Amino acid sequence: MMRVCSASEPAPGRPDNEDQVFRYGELVGVLDGATVPDGFDTGCVHGPVWYVRQLAARIGLAAADRPAAALTGNLAAAILAVRADHGGRCDLDHPGTPSATVCLLRYGGDHVDYLVLCDSPLVLDLGERVRVISDDRLRTAMADLRQKALTVTGTGGEPDDQATRFRRAVALQREQMNQTHGYWVAAANPDAAYHAVAGSLPLDGPDRVRRAALLTDGASIAVEQFGLFDWRGLLDVLSEAGPGELIRRVRLAEAGDGQRRSGFKRYDDATAVLCGFED
């Protein structure tokens, strides 16, 4: 059987949590909605909170209808259903349309199925080693875009200050979303689901999965940026003290660091889920 515990908190000072954690039977997932910077249009009357809640619900319905189907197919069906949920009131071809990362894990008795789309990693304890399943295409795209934003010259007397470079970077990032040479994320195009990192791993044998952690980047930052511990240490904190303790330590590190994330926010929503499997 699979045991699950989780915690999810909005960024300090923000009323809404744009992360979403859910469990539908043997399926567990986390979503991380893309925050819209102030002053940017999305072409949509809805926001990231609405989007992650709708997508989570639609993933649950797809799982109930087709419990044994591939996770990619069910995610594609969910994205298509949310597209219809907009009710024809939104420009779903707008490059800033609401979007979310996806991390899914499904218990199958003798195996688990997984899916990772964009930067919400899955961390797996395989006994003697820890495996991290991640989708690094956004990170790669952002590194390239930051360099372009610094080198591209504005037009029409546009000032070359930090705010202008940030607006330029956001515009460039939006152009790369759900493109072959860019990165893929759940938004309005169901084809994105088929670009996810997906597969299956055993729950028996020497390399079986013992523990699994589903994380949004607001929680994985504990390892990836702050270096509070390694991935096994993160799993141990989740197992021994719980997901809420991981988020507490992230908040302490954020407060002491004083740096902004993603160019415009100091704190991020944080979600961590621990799944444990009996022998």
Side-chain angles (χ1 to χ4, degrees), residues 5-8 237-239 241-248 271-274:
C5 59
S6 66
S8 184
V237 169
L238 293 176
S239 298
E245 174 62 16
L246 173 64
I247 295 175
R248 187 188 72 84
T271 298
V273 179
L274 176 68

Side-chain angles (χ1 to χ4, degrees), residues 7 28 44 55 72 76 91 95 108 111 158 171 194 232 242 256 265 274:
V28 178
C44 182
L55 184 59
T72 49
D91 176 9
H111 71 282
E158 183 182 57
Y194 298 103
R232 185 175 294 279
K265 54 185 178 180
L274 176 68

Side-chain angles (χ1 to χ4, degrees), residues 35-258:
T35 301
V36 180
D38 292 340
F40 283 85
D41 185 30
T42 65
C44 182
V45 300
H46 308 99
V49 174
W50 177 90
Y51 183 79
V52 295
R53 290 175 180 171
Q54 290 297 116
L55 184 59
R58 289 298 187 176
I59 289 172
L61 289 172
D65 288 342
R66 304 190 306 166
L71 293 178
T72 49
N74 280 351
L75 176 59
I79 293 172
L80 188 62
V82 176
R83 185 179 179 93
D85 290 339
H86 284 271
R89 295 183 290 162
C90 307
D91 176 9
L92 299 181
D93 295 322
H94 191 289
T97 192
S99 62
T101 72
V102 183
C103 184
L104 303 176
L105 188 73
R106 183 173 63 191
Y107 175 72
D110 62 352
H111 71 282
V112 290
D113 301 315
Y114 64 83
L115 181 151
V116 174
L117 183 63
C118 209
D119 60 344
S120 289
L122 175 66
V123 185
L124 301 165
D125 178 2
L126 303 180
E128 293 186 358
R129 65 188 179 97
V130 171
R131 179 180 174 186
V132 180
I133 297 174
S134 59
D135 177 359
D136 294 328
R137 286 168 291 188
L138 175 59
R139 184 175 302 173
T140 301
M142 287 302 298
D144 292 340
L145 293 175
R146 289 190 190 99
Q147 186 61 36
K148 288 180 181 178
L150 290 173
T151 58
V152 173
T153 303
T155 59
E158 183 182 57
D160 189 25
D161 55 19
Q162 184 176 358
T164 301
R165 290 193 294 271
F166 174 67
R167 290 194 299 271
R168 196 180 299 150
V170 172
L172 289 170
Q173 178 184 343
R174 287 178 165 188
E175 292 175 2
Q176 297 298 309
M177 187 178 80
N178 288 349
Q179 300 294 323
T180 300
H181 299 294
Y183 68 98
W184 296 88
V185 66
N189 181 359
D191 288 344
Y194 298 103
H195 292 271
V197 179
S200 299
L201 289 168
L203 288 174
D204 53 21
D207 294 325
R208 69 183 183 276
V209 178
R210 276 82 166 174
R211 299 176 291 178
L214 294 77
L215 308 166
T216 62
D217 64 342
S220 64
I221 196 175
V223 174
E224 294 175 325
Q225 183 163 329
F226 293 129
L228 301 180
F229 21 68
D230 60 14
W231 290 114
R232 185 175 294 279
L234 180 144
L235 287 167
D236 290 342
V237 169
L238 293 176
S239 298
E240 296 165 9
E245 174 62 16
L246 173 64
I247 295 175
R248 187 188 72 84
R249 296 192 191 187
V250 168
R251 295 292 181 237
L252 289 174
E254 288 172 328
D257 181 66

